[in-house]
Amino acid sequence: MAQIILDHVEKAYPGRVQAIDDLSLDVKDGEFMVLVGPSGCGKSTALRSIAGLEQITAGTIQIGDRVVNDVPPKDRDIAMVFQNYALYPHMSVEQNLAFGLQLRKMPKDEIKRRVGEAAAMLGLEPYLKRKPAALSGGQRQRVAMGRAIVREPQAFLMDEPLSNLDAKLRVSMRASLSQLHERLGVTTVYVTHDQVEAMTLGDRVCVLRDGRLQQVDTPQRLYESPVNLFVAGFIGSPAMNFVTAGLVRDDGPAVTFAGYRLPVPTEVLQAKPGLADYFGRDLILGVRPSDFEDASLLGGTRPTMRITADVTEELGSEILVIFTIDAPHVDNAAIVAAEEAAAEDEAEATAALVGGKSLWTARVSKESRARHGAPLQLAVDTRYLQFFDPGSGLAIGHRQAAPVLAG
């Protein structure tokens, strides 16, 4: 196992295309670090740079106690797992697992031990004599992971290994990956564009945009305390709702927008240094869909917004309520980039603006009586309101906001 340190790493291609822009990242020994972001954000380039498959143009990469800038890939003591399984079709599962070790002239007894342990760990024992063509997609991916495991490297590098699997199989493979990491404890850097994968697998998650680090933190911290508008809009599904709002003192601190007034709890003001400086000014307010609930289910304990449900999506365990507010869509490049990334990942377009009004989403209990076209009183948990500076796009009062580029 080993720590992986990227120190001010840059990668530029001919034509001044900057794939990685001043990336500094410290992956702890034994940590499962996920790199996530939209297509073209530099996450796969960063992974390939760690592996030595890309030559960086500035900075240093350290694996364990060695700077590996000039170390060839085969000598970096890492193992990669790709999205296309890259198995040898003419070899059996057992031969695929053993082949890399045979190339290293490892003793036969040691090869047999490692292959046997990996096969048992991954549930591949019944398939050792089969060829890849006789395996399912999930089984092939397990063979690819087994081939990495038998090497017993300092670190695993995984480039979207589950993206070729169907949705149900991805869920089970995520669970298998988590169990595998818990068992092996090997430092792992994992690339994905799927934020659900990132949030469920990562000890910490690194969000990238245009080659720049936006925020690295635990999944829960990313969700609850995004550093800027891009992270706020990219992390979370359905996405965070945004609106330009005024921060006022009338009858206690509150935000006002589109005819609504939501009190801002004193503890929120105290927890966000600098927020009080925005009294009498506009800011960008963010409200997560999960911070709404049908007010009729709560007994009047929270501030409310009276809305009309334009669309209701009953998902069994919850109901998504889509509604309009009488305010224009927030015109900010970071929000647009996050929306485009979400639309790309979900293979569907998002319509945030209808006739000069903004579309918002609330996630409410399955017990709600929310119905299409009917009025609904939504309670808002104002403890989790998010506030962003309209100019920089940075979260107001966030502990990491100062050194992070808003983009």
Side-chain angles (χ1 to χ4, degrees):
M1 291 190 294
Q3 184 181 29
I4 299 174
I5 300 172
L6 282 69
D7 186 22
H8 297 288
V9 169
E10 298 192 4
K11 171 64 181 178
Y13 291 108
R16 296 185 178 179
V17 177
Q18 194 80 13
I20 307 174
D21 189 353
D22 195 27
L23 176 60
S24 293
L25 185 66
D26 184 348
V27 184
K28 299 170 187 172
D29 188 8
E31 183 174 30
F32 198 120
M33 173 69 78
V34 179
L35 308 185
V36 69
S39 297
C41 72
K43 54 191 184 294
S44 289
T45 304
L47 193 79
R48 291 172 60 82
S49 297
I50 296 170
L53 302 175
E54 296 279 0
Q55 190 70 33
I56 60 175
T57 48
T60 59
I61 297 176
Q62 182 178 327
I63 301 175
D65 55 3
R66 289 192 304 165
V67 172
V68 296
N69 287 33
D70 300 318
V71 176
K74 65 183 178 63
D75 298 326
R76 294 195 180 193
D77 197 13
I78 52 90
M80 280 200 78
V81 180
F82 300 94
Q83 81 181 73
N84 59 345
Y85 320 120
L87 303 179
Y88 298 107
H90 62 288
M91 293 184 182
S92 68
V93 168
E94 186 173 23
Q95 291 167 331
N96 265 285
L97 293 174
F99 185 66
L101 304 181
Q102 291 166 347
L103 286 180
R104 289 170 173 76
K105 312 273 190 216
M106 192 168 284
K108 288 184 179 179
D109 286 349
E110 179 65 11
I111 292 174
K112 186 175 180 181
R113 178 190 71 79
R114 292 194 185 189
V115 168
E117 286 181 358
M121 194 181 299
L122 294 164
L124 291 172
E125 290 168 307
Y127 312 108
L128 286 174
K129 302 304 178 186
R130 291 191 190 180
K131 301 280 179 68
L135 302 176
S136 69
Q139 290 163 348
R140 289 179 201 173
Q141 193 54 277
R142 290 211 298 273
V143 177
M145 289 176 186
R147 198 169 50 185
I149 289 168
V150 296
R151 291 185 53 188
E152 297 182 0
Q154 288 194 85
F156 293 134
L157 307 180
M158 300 189 180
D159 193 3
E160 306 224 30
L162 308 185
S163 62
N164 286 342
L165 306 179
D166 63 57
K168 189 173 182 180
L169 193 50
R170 278 204 304 270
V171 172
S172 64
M173 284 299 292
R174 283 205 304 264
S176 297
L177 265 174
S178 292
Q179 292 167 351
L180 197 60
H181 181 257
E182 193 172 320
R183 228 174 131 176
L184 297 173
V186 176
T187 307
T188 301
V189 182
Y190 185 103
V191 160
T192 182
H193 68 274
D194 184 333
Q195 59 158 296
V196 174
E197 223 167 82
M199 301 290 275
T200 53
L201 284 173
D203 294 326
R204 286 190 299 155
V205 176
C206 167
V207 182
L208 295 171
R209 177 191 174 200
D210 296 335
R212 294 181 178 184
L213 172 66
Q214 301 295 299
Q215 185 175 0
V216 57
D217 219 323
T218 64
Q220 198 62 32
R221 284 282 303 169
L222 282 178
Y223 186 82
E224 292 182 351
S225 190
V227 74
N228 59 27
L229 284 168
F230 178 78
V231 177
F234 182 73
I235 296 294
S237 182
M240 184 180 286
N241 305 296
F242 295 105
V243 68
T244 299
L247 185 63
V248 298
R249 291 186 186 272
D250 310 336
D251 301 321
V255 279
T256 59
F257 61 96
Y260 299 108
R261 182 184 184 280
L262 295 177
V264 178
T266 303
E267 60 267 28
V268 172
L269 271 175
Q270 292 172 344
K272 296 182 183 296
L275 181 57
D277 296 338
Y278 285 78
F279 278 117
R281 297 165 54 190
D282 283 347
L283 45 67
I284 296 174
L285 172 69
V287 186
R288 287 217 179 271
S290 56
D291 293 329
F292 289 104
E293 184 53 276
D294 185 334
S296 68
L297 303 176
L298 296 180
T301 57
R302 295 178 186 170
T304 61
M305 294 173 56
R306 185 170 180 80
I307 61 101
T308 297
D310 295 318
V311 177
T312 56
E313 297 180 353
E314 299 185 28
L315 304 178
S317 60
E318 63 193 18
I319 300 173
L320 296 184
V321 180
I322 300 170
F323 60 99
T324 57
I325 65 168
D326 190 11
H329 184 48
V330 178
D331 183 17
N332 184 281
I335 294 176
V336 172
E339 289 171 349
E340 287 175 351
E344 171 190 288
D345 292 345
E346 296 169 12
E348 61 184 30
T350 54
L353 183 65
V354 177
K357 299 182 179 182
S358 298
L359 272 183
W360 275 27
T361 303
R363 176 184 282 151
V364 299
S365 167
K366 64 181 180 180
E367 308 297 331
S368 170
R369 295 190 177 276
R371 295 295 178 265
H372 167 70
L376 179 66
Q377 201 82 4
L378 287 174
V380 186
D381 193 338
T382 52
R383 295 173 300 170
Y384 301 112
L385 296 177
Q386 303 287 336
F387 306 94
F388 304 90
D389 180 85
S392 68
L394 294 176
I396 299 167
H398 194 289
R399 59 189 174 86
Q400 292 180 2
V404 175
L405 288 169

